[in-house]
Amino acid sequence: MTLSSQLLTKLGMTYPIIQAPMAGGATTPELIAAVSNFGGLGSLGGGATAPHALNSQINRIKALTDRPFMVNLMVLSEHDASTFDTSIPDWLIQYYQEQKIAATLPERPAHSFPEQLQVLYDNPVPVASFTFGIISAEQVARLQQLGTRVIGTVNHPLEAQQWAAVGADAVCVQGMEAGGHRGGWLPQSSADPLGLLTLISQTRASTEIPLIAAGGLMTGQDIKAVQSAGAQLAQLGTAFLTTDESGISATYKQALLDASDGTRSSETRLTRLFSGKQARGLVNNYLHDFANFDKEDELPPYPQLNAMTAFMRANAGKNADPEHLSLWAGQGVTLVRQERAVELLERLVKAL
């Protein structure tokens, strides 16, 4: 068996296509089930979900498919998830005052990771993946004993080596082309972001752990290219955002489609302005207007800034205003289409 076939068998997949686990409601149970039922791996972005809601979503997915699926969590320390030790920036306060937006911070900036992880112990899933950090060898082993395959997310070969050392089944190597938040956690990940092909080759040279490639992938030809470069599977996110089953807002979806047909600019940028952590999205007025403040040492860290900008994003959503939403998208955004998930999957597989 080839390495790709071995990982497909290990994860219970037919085709080398993983639908990326995008948090914030994008990955609905219906989308996940459609991908898994087709023979790919549907994935739930559960990092921003309360534990009780996470459990409910897992049960809903299990009711819609008997095929393997993945749940992704964000690894945050209890201090980071529970503490506000910075203030809302003055420029953001001024924006809220000008727009008459009320901004009262919640008790904590993020949900408890240990409580989310406990959901996966109590209600096991076929595959679990992790971003923003690494779990212990003991936690990996406990999940694997429950029948869960474990996948780490990395932006640098050193992170892949650490996941290999704790016994992960595979790592998702996420190139700088990827939309949304970068999943790595070491300083090297953000200091000099690596493109996907460079990341694959450097990681392949430093560890034997199986690789799942992510970052700007939109076509079957893209999947074949990363497999030729040394990855076993491909993970696509942006391509699924404009499918009928995607849970993103109509405003966000239309902005992506407008970027694909030239109605709006398709320029994307890595930015910390929305959350304090590097993430790639379509450039809009917010990123233009506050670009001078997009500096790591001047912004509250993740997840604090993420909680602080939530009021702006909620107001933009209510007013169908794409210029103040986080329009996460990868560099392949010009290739998105409005279609059913199965139509996208059929098109991808046809080119393999």
Side-chain angles (χ1 to χ4, degrees), residues 152-169:
T153 308
V154 306
N155 302 130
H156 195 279
L158 290 175
E159 294 169 337
Q161 292 170 35
Q162 291 191 21
W163 274 109
V166 297
D169 295 284

Side-chain angles (χ1 to χ4, degrees), residues 57-136:
Q57 289 179 11
I58 291 171
N59 288 336
R60 174 66 178 155
I61 297 165
K62 288 180 175 180
L64 293 174
T65 184
D66 58 3
R67 299 293 300 264
F69 63 92
M70 180 164 73
V71 173
N72 175 268
L73 297 179
M74 302 168 180
V75 182
L76 294 174
S77 71
E78 189 55 26
H79 176 271
D80 288 346
S82 65
T83 306
F84 283 104
D85 55 15
T86 59
S87 302
I88 300 179
D90 291 342
W91 52 267
L92 186 55
I93 290 175
Q94 182 178 345
Y95 173 81
Y96 284 152
Q97 291 173 340
E98 291 171 352
Q99 301 299 318
K100 297 181 171 56
I101 298 172
T104 303
L105 292 178
E107 185 177 325
R108 52 187 296 147
H111 294 292
S112 165
F113 171 69
E115 291 179 11
Q116 292 174 321
L117 184 59
Q118 187 63 44
V119 173
L120 302 191
Y121 293 151
D122 296 337
N123 191 2
V125 298
V127 186
S129 69
F130 299 90
T131 56
F132 301 176
I134 188 168
I135 62 176
S136 68

Side-chain angles (χ1 to χ4, degrees), residues 203-350:
T203 306
R204 183 78 297 141
S206 63
T207 177
E208 295 183 356
I209 193 169
L211 306 183
I212 299 162
L217 308 181
M218 301 292 290
T219 67
Q221 289 83 358
D222 292 340
I223 295 171
K224 288 197 292 186
V226 295
Q227 287 185 307
S228 296
Q232 281 68 58
L233 310 179
Q235 180 169 290
L236 289 71
T238 303
F240 284 98
L241 284 175
T242 52
T243 60
D244 295 347
E245 296 88 346
S246 164
I248 65 173
S249 69
T251 304
Y252 181 2
K253 194 173 289 190
Q254 191 59 52
L256 297 175
L257 293 168
D258 288 347
S260 74
D261 67 16
T263 307
R264 71 173 291 146
S265 170
S266 61
E267 180 188 355
T268 65
R269 182 183 300 170
L270 281 173
T271 179
R272 299 180 189 273
L273 276 175
F274 280 106
S275 72
K277 185 173 176 64
Q278 277 187 335
R280 182 176 296 281
L282 287 175
V283 175
N284 57 10
N285 287 352
Y286 174 67
L287 296 189
H288 275 303
D289 294 345
F290 299 101
N292 288 342
F293 303 104
D294 199 353
K295 300 167 184 153
E296 181 177 11
D297 57 352
E298 295 183 16
L299 289 172
Y302 183 92
Q304 294 181 52
L305 184 60
N306 191 59
M308 294 169 182
T309 63
F311 313 101
M312 173 186 69
R313 290 179 279 120
N315 186 69
K318 183 175 66 175
N319 294 314
D321 168 24
E323 300 307 323
H324 295 88
L325 287 175
S326 47
L327 303 173
W328 303 137
Q331 289 183 330
V333 66
T334 56
L335 298 179
V336 298
R337 298 186 190 181
Q338 186 169 2
E339 59 192 339
R340 292 183 298 131
V342 69
E343 293 175 310
L344 168 59
L345 290 161
E346 287 171 346
R347 187 157 44 83
L348 294 171
V349 168
K350 189 175 182 180

Side-chain angles (χ1 to χ4, degrees), residues 15-36:
Y15 303 109
I17 301 167
I18 297 176
Q19 163 253 310
M22 300 166 284
T27 51
T28 62
E30 290 73 21
L31 173 59
I32 295 158
V35 176
S36 290

